Amino acid sequence: MVSTGNKSRPAQSGRKSKFITCPECGGRKIARIPRSGESVCANCGLVISERRIDTGPEWRAFTADERTARTRTGGPVKYTHHDKGLATTLGWRNTDSSGRKLSSRRRAEIARLRKWQLRSRVHSSVDRNLSQALSELERLSSQLELKRGVKELAAMLYRKAIVNRLIRSRSIDALVAAAVYAACRIRQIPRSLKEIADPSHIDWKKVGRHYRLLVRKLKIKMPIPDPSNYVPKLITELGLPGIMQEKVLEVLDRAKAHGGLIIGRDPRGLAAGAIYIASILTDNRVTQREIASAAGVTEVTVRNRYKDLVRKLELSLP
DNA sequence: ATGGTTTTTACTGCGTC
DNA sequence: GACGCGGTAAAAACCAT
């Protein structure tokens, strides 16, 4: 089977190959990388990142504990291992399996879990709601290609929503989407309401309402949106050279220092205006229209921000 | 609900290729 | 003439009160 010497050994990782062919070289062997979930052609190394339907479990686990805790054989409704996983996992001594003392941080974490264990045992409907929400969260965040930490944060927010009795008579999916959106905002990840609402088949306005509810009821302190966060995304979307980014950020930094220019303004518009300026300054002209559509604002807004920036920062353009 | 602020819509004029 | 750009007025959206 292995005919040449430089082959990697995907079979060794314990995962089976998928029965698809590599679009690049036509190779039959596609190895799955367990951790990342990516598929790689064993022959040419092409990463096959097509959105395929994942028939495996929608969760990932990094420790044995997590694995047992997350397994829900038979689907979420019929039989939830949720409870069992927790109950068998958590003893009442603050030591780990080898008898060592746990760190205080870890101990606090375990205490929280115990609390949840109690709660979820008592409120089985809450439990079911949570597991349904978590699977929706998993689905959404994989579709949005969210970073792991953001997903965790969203899950945490959802749990808080449960504790604060915010879930009653509200759509699970909408709340999950709202939690995801909130998590993105907190972590300063530029994702519009629409982007998140779109794959979750929930009306974008509805998600917005639930988002505001979350922020209000959970007293979340939202960081002021920073236009700089939109820059990398826009640069790549417009196919501009990465070096330009520095120039754009420089303009934005000066704008921030100047004050009065950024408060209350749509950060996307600011980013768009700064990019337009940088595109002139670095001679990588992009039309206002292109920038506007990439940033999701109007040409007028691009112009206005651009005009503001030029005037306030006293830039001299060619 | 209301009022103030910002963004969008829609339209026009100017210059260039 | 199509296109990019700049401007404007009025409508709409947004936000705090």
Side-chain angles (χ1 to χ4, degrees):
Chain A
M1 209 171 183
V2 177
S3 51
T4 58
N6 63 346
K7 284 246 171 103
S8 57
R9 302 168 307 163
Q12 201 68 358
S13 68
R15 278 274 176 272
K16 275 186 284 184
S17 309
K18 290 227 143 189
F19 192 67
I20 47 175
T21 55
C22 171
E24 184 71 22
C25 68
R28 288 274 153 75
K29 260 182 113 80
I30 309 294
R32 266 194 87 187
I33 313 286
R35 283 262 168 129
S36 65
E38 285 169 326
S39 293
V40 177
C41 174
N43 191 35
C44 64
L46 177 80
V47 175
I48 298 157
S49 57
E50 62 177 8
R51 289 231 175 96
R52 61 182 196 284
I53 294 173
D54 191 353
T55 55
E58 85 286 9
W59 42 264
R60 282 186 293 166
F62 296 96
T63 66
D65 283 1
E66 279 183 4
R67 221 168 344 262
T68 45
R70 288 179 190 185
T71 302
R72 306 183 309 277
T73 316
V77 178
K78 191 177 161 199
Y79 186 67
T80 312
H81 272 225
H82 210 123
D83 208 23
K84 187 186 169 191
L86 279 167
T88 52
T89 309
L90 299 180
W92 300 102
R93 257 181 279 280
N94 286 322
T95 58
D96 66 15
S97 56
S98 56
R100 269 191 314 233
K101 285 224 163 156
L102 296 169
S103 69
S104 63
R105 202 192 136 155
R106 180 77 184 141
R107 206 158 53 226
E109 201 173 279
I110 296 288
R112 271 203 305 281
L113 285 172
R114 279 192 194 119
K115 198 160 71 183
W116 269 103
Q117 178 188 9
L118 281 175
R119 282 188 185 154
S120 58
R121 258 218 293 255
V122 175
H123 304 112
S124 72
S125 72
V126 166
D127 192 23
R128 204 152 345 136
N129 181 302
L130 180 62
S131 82
Q132 205 173 321
L134 288 180
S135 83
E136 167 66 6
L137 170 64
E138 197 65 40
R139 193 188 67 77
L140 234 189
S141 52
S142 87
Q143 203 146 9
L144 291 165
E145 293 170 351
L146 287 183
K147 291 265 190 323
R148 188 169 177 72
V150 182
K151 192 172 74 188
E152 298 281 320
L153 182 56
M156 203 201 78
L157 292 175
Y158 193 89
R159 289 181 141 97
K160 277 192 171 178
I162 292 180
V163 178
N164 288 45
R165 303 253 181 281
L166 299 178
I167 52 164
R168 189 143 293 174
S169 82
R170 266 181 256 272
S171 147
I172 292 177
D173 291 0
L175 261 178
V176 167
V180 168
Y181 180 63
C184 286
R185 297 264 319 236
I186 291 173
R187 291 291 166 85
Q188 310 256 46
I189 288 151
R191 284 277 161 50
S192 71
L193 214 41
K194 274 194 163 181
E195 279 177 284
I196 286 163
D198 201 36
S200 84
H201 76 269
I202 301 283
D203 181 29
W204 140 79
K205 273 193 135 178
K206 193 172 177 181
V207 177
R209 277 205 306 276
H210 288 222
Y211 160 73
R212 300 189 69 186
L213 181 90
L214 281 183
V215 173
R216 187 152 36 86
K217 295 283 184 180
L218 301 183
K219 314 257 192 208
I220 302 170
K221 46 157 187 63
M222 274 299 164
I224 322 109
D226 186 338
S228 309
N229 295 323
Y230 292 85
V231 173
K233 199 182 173 188
L234 289 175
I235 297 253
T236 53
E237 201 163 323
L238 291 164
L240 291 167
I243 321 112
M244 246 188 76
Q245 187 166 318
E246 283 188 42
K247 198 80 202 167
V248 181
L249 293 180
E250 183 194 318
V251 173
L252 286 175
D253 279 342
R254 285 185 59 194
K256 284 179 216 165
H258 206 279
L261 268 177
I262 50 168
I263 41 133
R265 263 76 193 274
D266 185 345
R268 291 168 305 154
L270 255 329
I275 287 179
Y276 184 63
I277 290 174
S279 90
I280 296 172
L281 252 35
T282 62
D283 210 33
N284 292 102
R285 291 298 287 258
V286 192
T287 64
Q288 294 177 354
R289 189 185 315 183
E290 284 177 283
I291 296 179
S293 81
V297 295
T298 332
E299 292 172 60
V300 181
T301 306
V302 177
R303 274 201 290 277
N304 287 339
R305 290 301 85 76
Y306 148 74
K307 210 172 27 171
D308 289 349
L309 288 170
V310 170
R311 179 150 30 84
K312 289 284 179 73
L313 302 179
E314 285 156 5
L315 297 168
S316 50
L317 300 180

